[in-house]
Amino acid sequence: MFLKTVQIHQHGGVEQLRYEERADPEIKSAGDAIVNLKAAALNHIDIRIRRGCTGMEVPLPHILGADGAGTVVAIGSAVKNLQLGAAVCLYPPRGCGQCEFCVTDREWLCVNLRVLGECEDGTYAEYVRVPARNCFPIPAGLSFTEAAAFPLVFLTVWRMLVTNADIKAGESILILGIGGGVAMAALQLAAAVGMRIIVTSSSAAKLTQAEQLGAAHGINYREADFAKEVRNLTAKRGVDVVVDCVGGAGWVQSLASLAKGGRLITCGATAGARPQTNLRRIFWNDLKIFGSTLGSREEFGRVLEFLAQSGTKPIIDQVFPLKDAALAQARLEEGKQFGKIVLTMEG
């Protein structure tokens, strides 16, 4: 049997994404599951892997994609948590099970961490093999498209905002680069908690859309110094939390936007990973900086509960058929999206 997939045979531009057939994945261990995917979501890491600039060795040909949702069609002999036909979304990482982090339930910090679509084949395909324990029931009310859109970004944002920053109702938050998956998840979570939200973008349309979703203010960072604007909007106090997954020259402005005792959280550096930092500002103002990536299975479970209880659904920008993955990645690479871009295996 063969499945339809999109894979790369070498690193480079979107022209390297090939829509072709490949042998179906098979059960290899007693704890495996095979999922017939209905949808898969794009993430910026997909682009970095395609370009070959992650520093990781990727076996070629390689199937990209960390996020997916579908139905279980096969399980290993030791699997107890799944039934055939179950509708599931996927927890993307898995650890070695033996290192100091895995044995203390911090699998996402595993020294030999493997994530779908990174060092092993991912979700740009009709079928994927995953550990059965990485399959979770889709929250009530979510479609397959929506269930594929939230895992990586909402898990990461939950750890950033809830676990690390410990956000509270009534606090203020600045979210840089609204429109991307992490920024949108942060906006939705902050709005649900009851925070006062300020966002930045170079797009007036995205700022307007963000205000319609609960942002109190939008700042066009190409037209104004966003740190000064934040100070003006907060009576010179600054905000309690900054979400900066951009880095680069704006890092200094992010630190300058924080109130005393404020928290800056980051999970990316799309504009540069080696920005200038004023250390005096950090210790004089008792600032806290948290780096986050992914999160625990317990945190993933809390995300599922949050989505089910709050009725929150990930914002979908656009849906493409699997065969048009190159067009989908081009849209993401150009920064045109407002929300998640999703591939569907049908049509």
Side-chain angles (χ1 to χ4, degrees):
M1 295 291 291
F2 293 90
L3 74 155
K4 296 292 186 183
T5 184
V6 170
Q7 55 186 354
I8 58 172
H9 290 256
Q10 62 185 33
H11 299 293
V14 293
E15 71 280 356
Q16 299 301 332
L17 294 169
R18 298 188 190 178
Y19 178 64
E20 54 194 9
E21 290 188 338
R22 185 166 166 176
D24 285 351
E26 299 177 349
I27 297 290
K28 285 190 174 181
S29 75
D32 280 349
I34 304 294
V35 178
N36 177 199
L37 293 166
K38 306 299 182 183
L42 275 61
N43 293 284
H44 279 284
I45 186 63
D46 303 348
I47 294 172
R48 289 177 53 78
I49 294 170
R50 189 202 73 217
R51 291 175 179 169
C53 58
T54 63
M56 297 182 292
E57 286 192 23
V58 176
L60 297 172
H62 180 68
I63 302 173
L64 299 168
D67 282 327
T71 57
V72 177
V73 294
I75 54 175
S77 59
V79 174
K80 306 297 182 182
N81 66 308
L82 291 177
Q83 298 291 328
L84 295 180
V88 297
C89 55
L90 306 179
Y91 174 74
R94 66 180 175 92
C96 66
Q98 300 175 340
C99 70
E100 61 179 297
F101 301 107
C102 287
V103 299
T104 54
D105 294 325
R106 294 178 292 165
E107 185 176 6
W108 75 98
L109 294 176
C110 176
V111 295
N112 294 306
L113 183 69
R114 303 183 70 84
V115 180
L116 275 174
E118 292 186 9
C119 296
E120 56 188 37
D121 285 332
T123 57
Y124 287 20
E126 291 178 314
Y127 294 88
V128 66
R129 179 179 60 247
V130 294
R133 64 194 298 260
N134 284 27
C135 297
F136 287 76
I138 293 175
L142 265 60
S143 66
F144 283 117
T145 298
E146 293 163 338
F150 80 83
L152 198 70
V153 293
F154 267 87
L155 173 61
T156 299
V157 167
W158 188 275
R159 181 160 192 81
M160 292 168 69
L161 292 182
V162 179
T163 304
N164 288 340
D166 190 23
I167 58 173
K168 296 178 176 63
E171 289 189 315
S172 54
I173 185 170
L174 171 66
I175 304 171
L176 272 57
I178 201 65
V182 168
M184 293 302 298
L187 170 62
Q188 291 183 276
L189 186 53
V193 168
M195 302 183 77
R196 183 189 182 206
I197 304 166
I198 304 171
V199 300
T200 75
S201 175
S202 61
S203 165
K206 289 184 180 182
L207 293 176
T208 298
Q209 289 174 287
E211 289 173 358
Q212 292 170 349
L213 291 171
H217 301 282
I219 301 170
N220 189 318
Y221 64 82
R222 293 194 187 278
E223 299 177 355
D225 181 324
F226 70 78
K228 291 181 179 178
E229 290 298 309
V230 167
R231 291 289 172 182
N232 291 336
L233 291 168
T234 59
K236 298 184 179 180
R237 176 185 180 273
V239 293
D240 298 293
V241 178
V242 172
V243 179
D244 182 345
C245 299
V246 180
W251 180 261
V252 173
Q253 293 168 279
S254 290
L255 289 173
S257 299
L258 284 167
K260 285 182 177 294
R263 297 93 80 196
L264 188 152
I265 49 180
T266 180
C267 69
T270 57
R274 298 180 179 178
Q276 291 185 339
T277 298
N278 184 342
L279 294 179
R280 292 186 183 91
R281 182 182 291 278
I282 295 173
F283 58 74
W284 280 341
N285 292 322
D286 194 26
L287 303 181
K288 300 172 181 63
I289 299 175
F290 295 99
S292 296
T293 179
L294 298 169
S296 68
R297 293 173 187 277
E298 179 184 0
E299 287 166 320
F300 192 64
R302 293 179 68 188
V303 170
L304 298 179
E305 292 175 3
F306 163 74
L307 294 174
Q309 293 173 7
S310 68
T312 300
K313 295 183 177 183
I315 304 299
I316 305 297
D317 171 73
Q318 199 165 327
V319 178
F320 292 82
L322 179 64
K323 64 182 179 62
D324 289 338
L327 293 176
Q329 278 205 7
R331 181 173 177 80
L332 179 64
E333 202 161 11
E334 293 165 9
K336 294 180 177 179
Q337 83 284 6
F338 187 81
K340 294 293 290 184
I341 298 174
V342 180
L343 303 174
T344 180
M345 309 311 160
E346 300 177 358

